[in-house]
Amino acid sequence: MFGLDRKDTRLLILVAILTMAAPFLLNPFPEGSAMAQFNAGYPDLMQRFVIFGIFAIGFNILFGLTGYLSFGHAAFLGVGSYAAIWMMKLLTMNVIPAIFMGVIFGGLFAVIVGYISLRRSGIYFSILTLAFAQMSFALAYSVLTPITGGETGLQPKTNDPRILDGTLADGATPKANIFGLEMSSSFELPLGSWLFTFNTGYYLAAFVMLASFYVAIRIFRSPFGMMLRAVKSNQQRMTYTGLNPRPYTLAAFVISGMYAGLAGGLMVAMDTQVGPERMFWTASGEVVLMTILGGVGTLIGPVLGAGAIKYMENIISKINSDILHTWFAFLPDGLEDLVVTLIYPFIGKGWHLTLGIIFMLVVIFLPGGLVEGGQRIAKLFSRKKADDNTSDVAKAPAE
Amino acid sequence: MGILEVKDVGKRFGGLQALSDVNLSVKENTCHAIIGPNGAGKSTLLNCLIGKLIPDSGSVMFDGQSVLGRAPHEINQMGISRVFQTPEIFGDLSVMENMMIPIFAKRDGNFELNAIGSVFGNKDVVEAAEAMLEEMNMADKRHMHAAAMSRGDKRRLEIGMCLSQQPRLLLLDEPTAGMARADTNNTIDLLREIKEERDITIAIIEHDMHVVFSLADRITVLAQGTPLVEDEPEKIKGNPKVREAYLGESA
Ligand SMILES: Nc1ncnc2c1ncn2[C@@H]1O[C@H](COP(=O)(O)OP(=O)(O)OP(=O)(O)O)[C@@H](O)[C@H]1O
Ligand SMILES: [Mg+2]
């Protein structure tokens, strides 16, 4: 279906179901219950899941296929965001031009950075991209203040030109919308003690993510994708086979820059503001972590990695010592304090510590990332099944 | 005038004169063997033909055009394919994919942004790759990881990859090294067949004299970076200079 083989079609449908049903799936705990803080089914976080998923899918097209590790991809995300916010200031609060321009500018900037950085490979390439990203950050932070709003960043103002929109009613503020339907509008569905929120912005971002995922599958399975893997495997053989690796890597770089720009544009569509910190090197590092955590070079890995990291960032960081005390209240007082003291460094602001430990464990024990973890579990089950009934259950090797 | 004309080529590595005054003319549709002791400069000479090294002096003409100053991928697109002394294949890819890449390169040129169609939707490429795998007796290994194969199989795969491009000049650097006797004989048969059926010129470096005398129409003996003699196989066999060059090296 859709020009994909059966396995890929199944994967696409699975991802489609998961993203469409996310407001249910991510809210398994009733409102007000002790576990409710583990619910991730609120619009703000769900939007982040899919947007960073797009960012990581694109990053993986470069890093996963060609092996070129960029440490500056946040720059393209930032450029996409600035392009998007300018569309909202100059043209319209409709998010379509904003997102579109995010992609275009992310791609254009990637042409420049890629053209220069790809003259080197390995660590030198990584350092060049990092240098570009930090220069972009510095430019956005101070030098280009008239365009970027400097440290404070940009947001739509009531007195912006917005030539395609009519004048705002008195006292109204500009709101991001898609043909009038506001991004922030939600439909809330209370069911028993559960509350499910279906948000316009989330569904827009989710559809865009599905489309991006589909395009990524097509790229992975195409002759172009195969050439990118050839770049990673043996550039020497490639050149003596009559292929020029440079335009292949540049095309991969630009495509991944466009994905980053798309993510940046969507971020602005969801939350109409940009600041230079979006381009800071830690943001570039984060997408590397997401991709490695999920599984480099796999289709679904980057999405899983993005989800896992954003979940930890938003959920674990919200746990505080009071919450811990209520959880462990059943323990004798002294023991309760001890347990809370032991766990405390890993929660709240300490979530980075938890992330670091999980990341290390995954890299050491599951070099293929969460995807490899999933495959191992699936294998375990299929082996059990095969043992239970000695019929010829296909022990298909996980790919 | 040969299809390949090497004139006065010299190449120096630091203090080592690896090649000096190399003249070589390879006639179209013949098999020309280059033999010589270890370190004679045979691989270095091939490197100068495919753009991996640029000679310090001299000229290299292929089919009337200079190859010097061209990028390796351009030289390949002119019709020169090379099998390396240590197999160069795409280890992370499957055997089938390894075979398809050179066919895509031949069909689409050095760059083609074909990012939406599926690899296996290119029926012409799939068929050509399958036929070549069949010819190399590797059809059963098509799903294998190329890196997981034996050295001999990797080498056969590499030969197949080069042949699949239907090059006009095929350069082989010790193609049967690391192969079992049976595989060596298969390779000889294959190369003979190809030589007879196609318009192909072969330049082969080989230590295995059985292979050399089975295939070569002409032989150049290289010693210490310079051609010692060039002659027909029968005459090379009895040449005292050749014996000396070899015996001096390995007693
Ligand atoms: N890139 C290089 N840098 C420095 N020295 C080199 C380089 N390549 C080859 N040499 C040296 O040049 C000489 C010729 O090497 P070459 O590999 O051409 O020999 P060969 O005839 O192919 O030998 P063999 O039969 O062992 O493959 C050797 O002494 C080698 O050490
Ligand atoms: Mg050699």
Side-chain angles (χ1 to χ4, degrees):
Chain A
M1 215 198 305
F2 316 119
L4 302 181
D5 70 12
R6 272 186 50 199
K7 223 180 81 204
D8 291 338
T9 310
R10 253 190 328 208
L11 183 64
L12 183 66
I13 291 174
L14 179 72
V15 173
I17 293 172
L18 290 179
T19 45
M20 290 303 124
F24 290 112
L25 299 173
L26 295 175
N27 256 5
F29 308 112
E31 287 296 295
S33 70
M35 299 296 278
Q37 63 214 338
F38 289 108
N39 280 342
Y42 54 95
D44 189 36
L45 182 53
M46 289 195 298
Q47 289 166 2
R48 248 172 271 171
F49 284 159
V50 289
I51 291 174
F52 279 92
I54 293 171
F55 189 22
I57 290 171
F59 182 77
N60 189 45
I61 290 175
L62 178 70
F63 178 46
L65 292 180
T66 71
Y68 277 78
L69 176 56
S70 162
F71 262 116
H73 254 51
F76 309 122
L77 186 121
V79 167
S81 287
Y82 282 113
I85 205 101
W86 273 109
M87 285 299 112
M88 289 186 169
K89 286 167 100 55
L90 298 176
L91 276 186
T92 167
M93 287 304 289
N94 189 326
V95 297
I96 304 278
I99 295 170
F100 182 75
M101 277 311 189
V103 178
I104 299 294
F105 274 77
L108 286 177
F109 193 47
V111 172
I112 301 168
V113 175
Y115 184 79
I116 297 169
S117 305
L118 286 166
R119 294 176 169 268
R120 290 277 170 273
S121 59
I123 188 79
Y124 300 101
F125 167 80
S126 304
I127 297 294
L128 281 171
T129 51
L130 176 62
F132 265 109
Q134 281 303 86
M135 284 193 286
S136 312
F137 168 75
L139 287 176
Y141 195 85
S142 56
V143 184
L144 294 179
T145 301
I147 303 175
T148 60
E151 193 183 344
T152 41
L154 294 173
Q155 50 282 103
K157 300 252 170 60
T158 34
N159 58 356
D160 287 329
R162 255 186 299 283
I163 49 177
L164 295 184
D165 289 358
T167 41
L168 285 167
D170 264 353
T173 51
K175 294 225 169 72
N177 62 73
I178 181 162
F179 304 114
L181 189 58
E182 279 177 20
M183 287 295 115
S184 54
S185 62
S186 289
F187 167 71
E188 295 196 334
L189 173 72
L191 271 183
S193 46
W194 280 268
L195 180 67
F196 302 109
T197 314
F198 304 88
N199 169 259
T200 311
Y202 168 72
Y203 275 98
L204 173 72
F207 276 118
V208 175
M209 197 274 265
L210 277 180
S212 315
F213 187 65
Y214 171 71
V215 172
I217 300 181
R218 294 294 293 254
I219 291 176
F220 266 61
R221 303 296 180 228
S222 72
F224 173 70
M226 184 167 74
M227 296 305 175
L228 296 184
R229 285 186 295 130
V231 170
K232 182 177 182 178
S233 182
N234 190 342
Q235 279 205 41
Q236 160 119 327
R237 179 28 92 199
M238 207 177 163
T239 45
Y240 298 115
T241 301
L243 295 159
N244 189 356
R246 187 76 72 75
Y248 281 105
T249 44
L250 183 60
F253 195 90
V254 172
I255 291 171
S256 77
M258 290 168 82
Y259 270 80
L262 174 63
L266 276 170
M267 274 182 184
V268 167
M270 302 300 127
D271 180 11
T272 54
Q273 50 140 336
V274 195
E277 73 290 340
R278 204 163 280 185
M279 306 212 215
F280 200 57
W281 66 271
T282 50
S284 295
E286 197 180 52
V287 74
V288 180
L289 295 191
M290 288 171 176
T291 310
I292 294 176
L293 185 66
V296 181
T298 62
L299 283 165
I300 191 72
V303 183
L304 294 179
I309 289 185
K310 285 295 149 190
Y311 185 83
M312 282 192 268
E313 180 186 86
N314 288 277
I315 303 295
I316 297 185
S317 68
K318 267 191 218 134
I319 304 172
N320 55 32
S321 65
D322 291 345
I323 295 174
L324 283 186
H325 277 290
T326 51
W327 285 354
F328 295 105
F330 63 93
L331 294 170
D333 269 354
L335 197 56
E336 178 189 329
D337 287 342
L338 179 69
V339 170
V340 170
T341 320
L342 284 179
I343 298 181
Y344 185 71
F346 297 95
I347 55 158
K349 280 201 158 52
W351 77 273
H352 280 114
L353 206 56
T354 315
L355 174 63
I357 290 171
I358 292 179
F359 186 75
M360 278 193 284
L361 291 176
V362 166
V363 169
I364 293 168
F365 295 106
L366 294 172
L370 297 176
V371 168
E372 187 185 338
Q375 284 169 347
R376 285 204 196 164
I377 293 170
K379 228 186 212 163
L380 222 61
F381 276 102
S382 67
R383 195 171 302 149
K384 268 216 189 95
K385 238 197 260 163
D387 289 346
D388 287 349
N389 45 22
T390 42
S391 67
D392 50 354
V393 176
K395 288 186 211 167
E399 270 183 46
Chain B
M1 201 46 185
I3 188 168
L4 179 71
E5 290 286 339
V6 179
K7 286 237 158 51
D8 302 327
V9 161
K11 180 74 199 173
R12 209 180 169 83
F13 296 118
L16 177 81
Q17 190 72 40
L19 295 176
S20 52
D21 299 324
V22 177
N23 286 287
L24 185 73
S25 171
V26 178
K27 293 231 158 44
E28 195 159 5
N29 298 337
T30 62
C31 178
H32 197 122
I34 299 164
I35 61 172
N38 290 112
K42 306 180 295 294
S43 300
T44 305
L45 177 59
L46 289 204
N47 288 344
C48 290
L49 306 183
I50 59 160
K52 192 175 180 188
L53 288 176
I54 298 168
D56 303 329
S57 55
S59 67
V60 179
M61 305 287 279
F62 173 69
D63 198 22
Q65 289 181 295
S66 174
V67 305
L68 301 185
R70 287 180 203 254
H73 62 86
E74 292 169 340
I75 295 174
N76 171 278
Q77 294 283 355
M78 289 168 82
I80 305 181
S81 285
R82 171 172 179 187
V83 173
F84 286 81
Q85 190 165 352
T86 38
E88 292 280 355
I89 53 172
F90 302 108
D92 303 330
L93 273 59
S94 75
V95 170
M96 180 66 177
E97 286 172 323
N98 267 272
M99 198 54 97
M100 291 171 83
I101 288 174
I103 300 173
F104 271 114
K106 173 86 181 169
R107 192 191 75 177
D108 298 340
N110 66 43
F111 173 70
E112 171 83 27
L113 189 63
N114 187 353
I116 290 302
S118 140
V119 168
F120 291 92
N122 293 270
K123 292 281 178 260
D124 53 331
V125 178
V126 172
E127 274 165 25
E130 274 169 351
M132 198 66 229
L133 285 176
E134 201 69 55
E135 207 164 348
M136 302 304 297
N137 279 323
M138 307 190 86
D140 54 326
K141 300 197 170 70
R142 54 175 290 175
H143 293 300
M144 236 173 128
H145 236 212
M149 293 196 302
S150 72
R151 204 179 141 93
D153 281 346
K154 283 181 188 163
R155 202 169 269 296
R156 275 197 299 153
L157 174 61
E158 194 185 8
I159 295 173
M161 287 163 71
C162 288
L163 285 174
S164 73
Q165 293 197 304
Q166 312 197 316
R168 296 185 55 206
L169 174 62
L170 178 65
L171 305 174
L172 299 155
D173 198 344
E174 303 191 26
T176 64
M179 272 190 195
R181 191 80 247 175
D183 277 340
T184 302
N185 288 333
N186 284 340
T187 307
I188 294 174
D189 292 343
L190 177 80
L191 291 174
R192 259 206 195 123
E193 210 176 287
I194 297 233
K195 209 177 97 181
E196 274 155 30
E197 286 171 6
R198 298 189 192 169
D199 288 338
I200 191 170
T201 312
I202 300 175
I204 181 171
I205 293 175
E206 189 53 80
H207 282 300
D208 184 334
M209 288 305 140
H210 172 57
V211 179
V212 172
F213 289 111
S214 311
L215 290 170
D217 302 308
R218 248 187 128 67
I219 298 178
T220 294
V221 183
L222 205 66
Q224 290 170 358
T226 337
L228 209 58
V229 272
E230 188 198 312
D231 220 329
E232 285 159 19
E234 286 314 308
K235 299 201 175 133
I236 292 285
K237 265 185 196 165
N239 191 314
K241 269 191 183 168
V242 177
R243 286 169 174 267
E244 197 192 297
Y246 266 96
L247 289 176
E249 174 69 23
S250 55

